[in-house]
Amino acid sequence: MKFIKIILLILSIGLFVSCSINNPSKLRETQAFTQVYRVVGEDKVIVRAITNQASCPSIQWDNSPPSRLSTRVGAEDISIRINTDQVPSKFSVTTCEIEWPNGVSQANINGQTLKALKSNLQRIVIIGDTGCRLKASENAFQDCNSIEKWPFAQTIQSAFNTNPDLVVHVGDIHYRESPCPESREGCKNSPWGYGFDAWNADFFIPAKLLLDATPWVFVRGNHEACSRAGQGWHRFVDIRPWNEKLSCNDPKNDDFANYTEPYAVQIGKSSQIVVFDSANMPSKDIKPKDFSYQVYKNQIKKAEDLAKNKEFNIFANHHPISIVSPLKKDSSAGDLELKLNSLGMLMNNIKGESLLSSSFNATLHGHVHTVQAISYQFPRPISLISGNGGSALEDLKVKKINLSQSQMDQMKIQKFESFLDFGFATLDRQDQNGSKWLFTEYNREGKIIFSCSMNKNQTDCNN
Ligand SMILES: [Fe+2]
C-alpha cells in the first residue's frame, strides 16, 4: 500500500511539472504572485495589486502604521457571456486596491517603494496596441514567443530607460482571443480567451518593469469593449469603483458598461489630458438614431467643459479621429487621404472641421498600428497616433509616408511625420507650466526617430 502511495505521488509530481513547463502562466499561478501597479484618474491615484494570495497586501504610507488594501473583486470563473466559441473567463487572482492619500510622499508595499505622482510632470511615455495578436477569424497569429516578432517587453524596457513620470496606454491591451493553431511554433502554448492568463501574458508579465516603477493612465480600446476583453478592463485597469453593472459579465448591461464619462488628468500646472472612452465606437457613421450618438454627443460636451479649466489640453481616445490613410492596403504613396473616423465625423457635425474647440491643442490615439504626427493649415488640434507598442504592425506597402507639398496642401496639412515600426513616444514638458510640449517618437531599441515641438495647435518637427 505504501509503495502504491509513493508511485502515485511521483506520478502526480511528474504531471504537475509537465503541465507547468508547457504553460508558464500556470506555474506562475501556483507560486505566490502579487503584482502592484498604480492607475491614475481625475485627482486621484489608486494603488492596485493583483494577487493569488488569500488576502490583499498591506501598504505603509510614509511612516504611518500599515493599512491593508481592500478587495476590489475576488478570484472567480465567469461563464461564457454569449453563445460563441469562446471559453469561460477564469480570473484566478484577486484585485485589491486603495486610494493614495493626499500629502503622502511615498509608500512601501510588498517590498517595493512607490513615490507619489508628481503634479508637474516632466516626461510622459505614450504606448499603445501592445498585446500579441491571436485572432482566428482573421487568420492572424503573431509569434508571441518571439521578442523579435512581438517586442512589447523590449518596448517597455526602452520606455523604462527614459525614466518617465507617467505612462499613458492609448488602448488595446489584450489581443489573445483565439487558440494558437497546433502547427504554429511561434505562439505554441499561448494562453487565450478573456481570463487572467491571457491578460497576464499580454500585459502584466511584459509590462512589469514600468508597472512597478510608474503610475499609468489607461485609455480604453475597442479590444476592451464588453464583447471582447471588457471583463478584464473593469477588473484590472478601469479607474471607476467596482460595479457589477460595469463588469461586462452580463451583456444586458453593455449599454451602460461600454461607456465611461470623460475625465481629466493633470499633467502640468496649466495642462491636462482629457481621457475619452471610444471603445464601443462603430466603424460606420454614427447616426442620430444610434444609442451611441447621444452618449458620445454628451460626452464630447463634457470633455469640452473639462478643457476650459486649463491652457493646454490633450484629448485622448483610442480611435484616431483624423488620420492620413491609404485609400487601399496596397496603395502607393500617391493614394492617400485625410480621413475622419465616425467619432471625427460626429465632431465635424457638431463643431465643423476644427472637430473640437480651440481649448484642445492635440488629440492622442492608438488603434492604427503605426505612428503619425499631423498639424493642420486650419484650426484643428494636432493629431498624435502612437499604436506601435507591440501588436502586429499595419500591413502597408508604404513603410514611411512622405507627403509632397502639393499633397500636404491638398489635405491642408501644415506638418506631417510618420513611422511604421515598433516603438513608443514621449511627451516632454518644455516650459514651467506645461503649455508647451515635445512629442518624440522612439523605436523599440530606444533610438529617437523624430520629434515635434507643440505650441498651441502648431508643430515644428525634426528627424
Ligand atoms: Fe484598436
Side-chain angles (χ1 to χ4, degrees):
M1 192 62 189
K2 198 174 174 186
F3 176 73
I4 293 171
K5 275 186 181 169
I6 290 169
I7 295 289
L8 283 173
L9 183 66
I10 290 169
L11 283 173
S12 60
I13 289 170
L15 185 65
F16 169 77
V17 170
S18 139
C19 289
S20 301
I21 288 170
N22 286 332
N23 189 346
S25 63
K26 203 83 193 164
L27 179 65
R28 182 178 284 271
E29 284 174 41
T30 57
Q31 296 169 339
F33 165 72
T34 300
Q35 174 65 54
V36 175
Y37 54 105
R38 282 166 286 171
V39 182
V40 182
E42 189 160 290
D43 300 324
K44 67 177 170 185
V45 175
I46 295 176
V47 178
R48 291 229 170 109
I50 47 171
T51 183
N52 63 0
Q53 300 299 285
S55 56
C56 286
S58 292
I59 191 163
Q60 187 178 16
W61 307 111
D62 290 333
N63 296 317
S64 308
S67 21
R68 195 169 285 284
L69 274 67
S70 321
T71 298
R72 173 174 171 85
V73 57
E76 58 184 332
D77 293 352
I78 315 287
S79 55
I80 295 171
R81 270 172 43 102
I82 39 176
N83 223 0
T84 65
D85 57 356
Q86 283 298 329
V87 287
S89 303
K90 295 188 176 185
F91 292 100
S92 54
V93 290
T94 298
T95 309
C96 311
E97 64 185 355
I98 193 164
E99 196 168 326
W100 191 285
N102 283 336
V104 166
S105 60
Q106 73 170 46
N108 283 293
I109 176 169
N110 212 38
Q112 266 178 269
T113 301
L114 310 176
K115 299 267 184 224
L117 176 67
K118 294 177 187 168
S119 59
N120 211 18
L121 307 177
Q122 187 55 51
R123 172 166 290 165
I124 303 167
V125 154
I126 313 292
I127 195 163
D129 303 81
T130 50
C132 183
R133 191 172 191 80
L134 298 179
K135 191 156 193 192
S137 62
E138 293 172 12
N139 196 29
F141 299 101
Q142 200 170 349
D143 291 343
C144 311
N145 303 333
S146 158
I147 194 84
E148 185 55 36
K149 298 288 174 58
W150 179 56
F152 179 35
Q154 186 187 13
T155 312
I156 284 284
Q157 175 71 60
S158 299
F160 172 82
N161 292 345
T162 68
N163 194 26
D165 300 317
L166 181 74
V167 177
V168 177
H169 193 299
V170 288
D172 285 1
I173 303 165
H174 174 287
Y175 275 80
R176 302 185 195 216
E177 299 180 276
S178 309
C180 175
E182 279 293 310
S183 57
R184 300 283 303 229
E185 277 298 314
C187 52
K188 195 171 181 178
N189 293 329
S190 170
W192 64 281
Y194 299 119
F196 172 68
D197 55 357
W199 270 85
N200 201 24
D202 254 351
F203 183 63
F204 288 108
I205 294 173
K208 182 172 173 48
L209 254 187
L210 270 179
L211 287 172
D212 286 347
T214 314
W216 289 55
V217 170
F218 291 96
V219 179
R220 191 176 184 181
N222 52 310
H223 285 232
E224 287 81 51
C226 282
S227 58
R228 300 175 83 176
Q231 291 165 326
W233 167 263
H234 188 54
R235 186 168 286 262
F236 299 132
V237 298
D238 192 347
I239 192 64
R240 298 168 296 181
W242 176 263
N243 177 345
E244 189 56 39
K245 282 183 78 180
L246 292 172
S247 70
C248 295
N249 289 341
D250 184 348
K252 281 200 217 79
N253 299 322
D254 283 2
D255 277 347
F256 178 60
N258 267 329
Y259 304 91
T260 312
E261 284 297 292
Y263 59 91
V265 173
Q266 184 177 327
I267 54 171
K269 289 193 180 78
S270 304
S271 49
Q272 61 186 4
I273 296 178
V274 176
V275 180
F276 189 95
D277 178 354
S278 65
N280 201 43
M281 190 199 85
S283 51
K284 291 182 193 147
D285 286 7
I286 310 169
K287 304 257 167 29
K289 65 176 174 44
D290 296 340
F291 177 79
S292 60
Y293 183 92
Q294 204 54 46
V295 176
Y296 287 137
K297 200 175 164 193
N298 292 342
Q299 293 189 343
I300 291 166
K301 165 87 173 59
K302 171 143 191 223
E304 295 278 9
D305 288 345
L306 288 169
K308 288 174 189 159
N309 301 331
K310 297 282 179 189
E311 192 183 329
F312 191 93
N313 290 281
I314 299 175
F315 180 97
N317 78 292
H318 178 64
H319 303 79
I321 53 180
S322 175
I323 186 171
V324 173
S325 182
L327 292 167
K328 287 181 249 151
K329 264 196 167 176
D330 59 352
S331 283
S332 65
D335 299 321
L336 298 162
E337 62 175 339
L338 183 65
K339 203 171 175 181
L340 295 182
N341 69 7
S342 58
L343 190 64
M345 283 194 269
L346 175 58
M347 290 172 168
N348 193 49
N349 290 342
I350 300 169
K351 269 266 178 310
E353 69 175 4
S354 65
L355 304 183
L356 289 161
S357 72
S358 57
S359 303
F360 280 105
N361 306 75
T363 65
L364 178 62
H365 321 274
H367 188 59
V368 182
H369 298 180
T370 186
V371 178
Q372 290 187 9
I374 316 166
S375 59
Y376 302 91
Q377 295 172 7
F378 58 98
R380 178 180 288 182
I382 297 158
S383 303
L384 302 172
I385 295 137
S386 186
N388 59 338
S391 192
L393 296 167
E394 294 300 314
D395 182 19
L396 299 179
K397 203 173 173 185
V398 187
K399 288 289 171 200
K400 175 157 172 57
I401 299 174
N402 286 309
L403 297 181
S404 67
Q405 191 57 51
S406 69
Q407 284 176 306
M408 303 244 283
D409 289 342
Q410 192 194 354
M411 291 185 255
K412 296 201 280 182
I413 288 174
Q414 181 232 355
K415 286 271 167 57
F416 179 82
E417 284 292 338
S418 73
F419 180 55
L420 181 58
D421 207 339
F422 295 110
F424 65 98
T426 55
L427 286 171
D428 287 285
R429 183 164 55 83
Q430 300 291 287
D431 64 355
Q432 187 63 31
N433 294 331
S435 56
K436 290 178 185 168
W437 290 81
L438 181 73
F439 176 85
T440 303
E441 175 60 27
Y442 297 77
N443 70 7
R444 57 196 279 174
E445 284 139 2
K447 180 175 168 265
I448 292 177
I449 303 299
F450 69 83
S451 47
C452 298
S453 61
M454 301 194 289
N455 188 6
K456 298 202 164 58
N457 63 358
Q458 297 294 291
T459 56
D460 196 5
C461 301
N462 298 299
N463 57 14

